[in-house]
Amino acid sequence: MLAPLLLSDVAAGRPVVLPDPKAQLVDFVLDRLPEEASERIVLFDPSHPDGTAGFNPLDIGDRDPYVVVDGIVAVLRAVFSDAWGPRTEDILNAALLTLALDGGTRENPHTLLDVPRLLTEPAFRRSVVGSVSGEAVLATFWQPSTT
């Protein structure tokens, strides 16, 4: 029932997303697509031996790191609202902004997996925080405590 609709959308040049956990419908549709549509197809197959598609929200590219981090924090706040507090937000905002800014200067940007390392490994933290010391928003957060 879905195959003719999907094929007509592809033929009309409309975007189509087809999640199919068993890949039966995907295989059926792929076998019937016109040749010229092959350049417009992106196939995500986590079972393929080449690996899975990844998404790194801290790979900011040309985007404003402050806006990117605000968006990530907003999503985390919504997901973890029952355990969210102002200090949680301060720590995550500073950590994510630090990683986004520092990662923008590196060949391989940081990922969300670097947050625990930043917060718990002093050597890693020193290597990252040094590159963002000129950021006014982060300067007081990473300043060593005098107490």
Coordinates of all heavy atoms in Angstrom, one line a residue, residues 10 19 22 29 47 80 93 110 136:
V10 N 8.7 10.1 -5.0 CA 10.0 10.2 -5.5 C 10.0 10.6 -7.0 O 10.8 11.5 -7.4 CB 10.8 8.8 -5.4 CG1 12.1 8.8 -6.2 CG2 11.0 8.5 -4.0
P19 N 11.2 4.8 7.2 CA 11.8 3.9 8.3 C 11.2 2.5 8.1 O 10.0 2.3 8.0 CB 11.4 4.5 9.6 CG 10.3 5.5 9.3 CD 10.3 5.7 7.8
K22 N 12.6 -3.9 9.1 CA 12.9 -5.2 8.5 C 13.5 -5.1 7.1 O 13.9 -6.1 6.5 CB 11.6 -6.1 8.4 CG 11.1 -6.4 9.8 CD 9.9 -7.3 9.7 CE 9.3 -7.6 11.1 NZ 8.1 -8.4 11.1
V29 N 11.1 -0.9 -2.7 CA 11.0 0.4 -3.3 C 12.3 0.7 -4.1 O 12.3 1.2 -5.2 CB 10.8 1.5 -2.2 CG1 11.0 2.9 -2.8 CG2 9.4 1.4 -1.7
S47 N 22.7 -1.9 10.1 CA 23.2 -3.3 10.0 C 24.4 -3.5 9.0 O 25.0 -4.5 9.0 CB 22.1 -4.2 9.7 OG 21.6 -4.0 8.4
F80 N 15.3 15.9 30.7 CA 15.7 15.6 32.1 C 15.1 16.6 33.1 O 15.6 16.9 34.1 CB 17.2 15.5 32.3 CG 17.8 14.5 31.4 CD1 18.6 14.8 30.3 CD2 17.7 13.1 31.8 CE1 19.2 13.9 29.5 CE2 18.3 12.2 31.0 CZ 19.0 12.5 29.9
N93 N 26.1 24.0 30.4 CA 26.3 25.1 29.5 C 27.8 25.4 29.4 O 28.3 25.6 28.2 CB 25.5 26.4 30.0 CG 25.5 27.4 28.9 OD1 25.1 27.2 27.8 ND2 26.0 28.6 29.2
H110 N 35.1 18.0 19.3 CA 34.7 17.2 20.5 C 33.3 16.7 20.3 O 32.6 17.1 19.5 CB 34.8 18.1 21.8 CG 36.1 18.6 22.1 ND1 37.1 17.7 22.6 CD2 36.7 19.8 22.0 CE1 38.2 18.4 22.8 NE2 38.0 19.7 22.5
A136 N 34.8 35.6 27.9 CA 34.3 36.2 29.2 C 33.3 35.3 29.9 O 33.3 35.2 31.1 CB 33.7 37.5 28.9

